[in-house]
Amino acid sequence: MAGWLWLRCLLGPNLHRVHRPPEQPRPEGRAGRRGWDYQPRSLERHTDSILGWALALWSLSYYSSPLILCYLYRKGYICSSKLVPLSQYVGTALVCLLGVACLRGWGRWRNSEYLQFITILEETRKNRTPSNKRKLASYDFDFSHWPADFSWKEVSNPKLSKAGVSLLKPEPKHRGATDSLLSSVRTLPCHVISYLIAHSFGRRMLYPGSVGLLQKAMRPMLLQGQARLIEEYYGQRNKLVACDGNEIDSMFVDRRGDRGPNGKTLVICCEGNAGFYEVGCMNTPLDGKRGVPFPQNEANAMDVVIQFAVHKLGFQMSDIVVYAWSIGGFTASWAVMSYPEIQAVVLDASFDDLLPLALKVMPDSWRPLVTHTVRKYMNLNNAEQLCKYQGPVLLIRRTKDEIITTMGPEDIMSNRGNNLLLRLLQYRYPKVMTEDSVRAVRQWLSAGSQVEEGFVYSSYEVDGDWCLSVLQSYQAEGETPFPWSVGEDMTAEGRRQLALFLVRPALSSAAVSRTTRILSSKLKSHPCSPARCSELKW
């Protein structure tokens, strides 16, 4: 029995924090909220530090391996006479690290708090009762050892899960068979290079939050944020297994019992490219996956989250609102495109398409390669997906954003949030968004202050009551899906007024950012007036 426990301690996860439910008294000598950080003893603490540094060194070596190999090759170290002694050194280091791991297991075995945790973990793996899951939820430990709470296969056909959920693909160019074959041969080197870029530094540039070194650097902040969600908001941590096998780390805060009608609305939050739910945009609705990320994996992860919300948490599609920050706009727009019954979507500091932003940071000579790589492997086509959705949309533009601008934050019109807005308006109201109307909207979007915005708005003499009555009259004619033909028989002046009415914000400017809000939907349930936009504020 003692040997079995020591082996479990040796192979067990790192324990970070111990949570306690409010009804259970805190042990003597423990301060803080409803939990405390796990305190390893001296032996466990020192050995864990050694293993942590070894893992960090391995990560650095892995990411810099191309440079290291080039250096060793130029120095003549890649030969049998040099590699044999090197392999002996590496083998000796691995044996030493194995000994350090055994000592860490011994240190854990001597710690009663860790023994209690590992016993509960093993019992939960054998017997997944609600009582055991509640006991295990009192501990914060390495997510890879967390038992799965929900799998995509529970509600979908496992045979269809390998390919993943469907994504919008660029339309293929139609060519003859001979031309296609010759073109494939000529572009083969480009395809190979694109694949290598996308699966090496390209993915890490697009999703820096997946880099282990960044996760390690942010770990103290993430642990603190997770403790806050669990101990103050009574969050429930769940592991969701997507159709591609990736394990999604999710946090659910249930407010159906104490928030009135608002508590019945589930807000699914999609983080940015270096965001984590512990310290990310999830705090916005509260206060008012980790796996290898690619667009396909991100869509798979969002799909299993929605399935979990519906089949396990008991929410209806019409009770779900999706809120996304930055690059999270891709998964959010995919969700509302794939599940059009979702109540609404909020895109904060998002963009229309990744390609212009990728071209901004790469040399001009790489343009064909970058275009092919993005379209083939990282096609974040937010605007195209959003146009497939018929429900309410709220866009928030950050005018000081340096990430989603192509010319810099000082050039407001280079903010790709403008393009996302224009693409949506042009799809939903094609008769309204003529060249003159687009020119007027761009003039309003390029305003550098509220005073300038008001000047542009007043210069076109926009009559809000008239615009609202026109939209209501059109909607009263029937349940017409987008795109609408409203504006077909209007004058150019009327179209300009209606276009500006649709984009005027309902909120005042903040010190560092200005929000542009649009709530364009079927007017019976969501009128397009600025006064009604505040309904989507949490």
Side-chain angles (χ1 to χ4, degrees), residues 431-432 466 470-471 486-495 498:
K431 304 300 182 181
V432 174
W466 176 80
V470 168
L471 294 173
V486 62
E488 190 173 16
D489 299 326
M490 282 186 183
T491 63
E493 180 184 359
R495 295 191 186 101
L498 197 56

Side-chain angles (χ1 to χ4, degrees), residues 325 346-351 394-401 404-405 409 411-422 441-450 453 503 505 508-510 512-518:
W325 167 265
V346 182
L347 302 181
D348 191 345
S350 194
F351 52 88
L394 172 65
L395 301 182
I396 302 176
R397 183 184 66 172
R398 306 281 175 170
T399 56
K400 300 298 182 182
D401 199 320
I404 64 170
T405 57
D411 186 355
I412 298 178
M413 275 310 299
S414 70
N415 188 307
R416 299 303 299 187
N418 299 325
N419 301 77
L420 180 60
L421 171 63
L422 290 171
V441 171
R442 286 184 175 276
Q443 184 181 356
W444 184 87
L445 290 173
S446 62
S449 65
Q450 266 193 301
E453 289 177 357
V503 301
S508 60
S509 299
V512 296
S513 67
R514 184 171 70 255
T515 57
T516 299
R517 301 180 134 226
I518 170 178

Side-chain angles (χ1 to χ4, degrees), residues 119-237:
T119 302
I120 294 175
L121 177 60
E122 292 302 318
E123 181 64 26
T124 305
R125 286 173 174 172
K126 295 177 183 178
N127 191 6
R128 300 290 303 281
T129 63
S131 176
N132 286 337
K133 291 182 67 175
R134 283 194 300 269
K135 292 179 182 179
L136 187 63
S138 298
Y139 297 93
D140 181 8
F141 54 96
D142 290 346
F143 181 71
S144 58
H145 292 259
W146 191 280
D149 297 288
F150 179 78
S151 175
W152 190 84
K153 297 179 181 179
E154 294 182 24
V155 295
S156 302
N157 188 350
K159 295 182 180 180
L160 302 177
S161 64
K162 294 182 179 179
V165 297
S166 60
L167 297 177
L168 290 179
K169 302 292 185 181
E171 295 184 1
K173 297 179 180 180
H174 299 284
R175 295 179 179 177
T178 305
D179 293 340
S180 298
L181 179 60
L182 293 176
S183 176
S184 299
V185 173
R186 288 197 302 267
T187 58
L188 180 61
C190 181
H191 284 276
V192 174
I193 296 174
S194 295
Y195 179 87
L196 295 176
I197 290 176
H199 289 78
S200 55
F201 68 86
R203 175 179 65 83
R204 291 169 177 84
M205 288 179 63
L206 187 60
Y207 300 103
S210 65
V211 178
L213 291 177
L214 178 61
Q215 295 176 10
K216 186 176 180 62
M218 294 187 64
R219 180 171 297 173
M221 187 185 305
L222 299 181
L223 294 179
Q224 183 180 6
Q226 188 175 100
R228 176 173 175 265
L229 292 173
I230 293 176
E231 297 170 13
E232 294 185 10
Y233 293 103
Y234 305 99
Q236 304 169 21
R237 193 182 189 189

Side-chain angles (χ1 to χ4, degrees), residues 48-62:
D48 191 62
S49 177
I50 294 173
L51 293 175
W53 278 107
L55 182 61
L57 182 62
W58 164 251
S59 298
L60 287 173
S61 302
Y62 174 79

Side-chain angles (χ1 to χ4, degrees), residues 360-514:
K360 176 189 71 171
V361 298
M362 303 302 288
D364 290 338
S365 58
W366 288 31
R367 177 176 290 269
L369 180 61
V370 172
T371 301
H372 180 270
T373 303
V374 169
R375 291 289 179 245
K376 179 71 175 178
Y377 300 103
M378 301 174 178
N379 191 31
L380 305 188
N381 47 349
N382 300 348
E384 187 177 359
Q385 294 183 149
L386 190 62
C387 289
K388 303 291 184 180
Y389 178 57
Q390 294 284 319
V393 176
L394 172 65
L395 301 182
I396 302 176
R397 183 184 66 172
R398 306 281 175 170
T399 56
K400 300 298 182 182
D401 199 320
E402 298 180 357
I403 304 299
I404 64 170
T405 57
T406 55
M407 301 298 293
E410 65 281 352
D411 186 355
I412 298 178
M413 275 310 299
S414 70
N415 188 307
R416 299 303 299 187
N418 299 325
N419 301 77
L420 180 60
L421 171 63
L422 290 171
R423 285 281 300 276
L424 182 63
L425 286 176
Q426 288 172 327
Y427 171 76
R428 292 191 169 190
Y429 309 99
K431 304 300 182 181
V432 174
M433 300 302 294
T434 60
E435 291 186 9
D436 289 340
S437 299
V438 171
R439 190 179 302 110
V441 171
R442 286 184 175 276
Q443 184 181 356
W444 184 87
L445 290 173
S446 62
S449 65
Q450 266 193 301
V451 176
E452 294 182 23
E453 289 177 357
F455 177 77
V456 174
Y457 198 77
S458 61
S459 65
Y460 286 98
E461 300 179 350
V462 179
D463 187 344
D465 294 335
W466 176 80
C467 293
L468 182 59
S469 65
V470 168
L471 294 173
Q472 288 176 333
S473 299
Y474 182 87
Q475 193 274 338
E477 295 176 0
E479 291 292 329
T480 305
F482 293 114
W484 283 5
S485 60
V486 62
E488 190 173 16
D489 299 326
M490 282 186 183
T491 63
E493 180 184 359
R495 295 191 186 101
R496 287 194 296 265
Q497 288 192 41
L498 197 56
L500 288 170
F501 174 79
L502 289 170
V503 301
R504 189 181 187 187
L507 295 181
S508 60
S509 299
V512 296
S513 67
R514 184 171 70 255

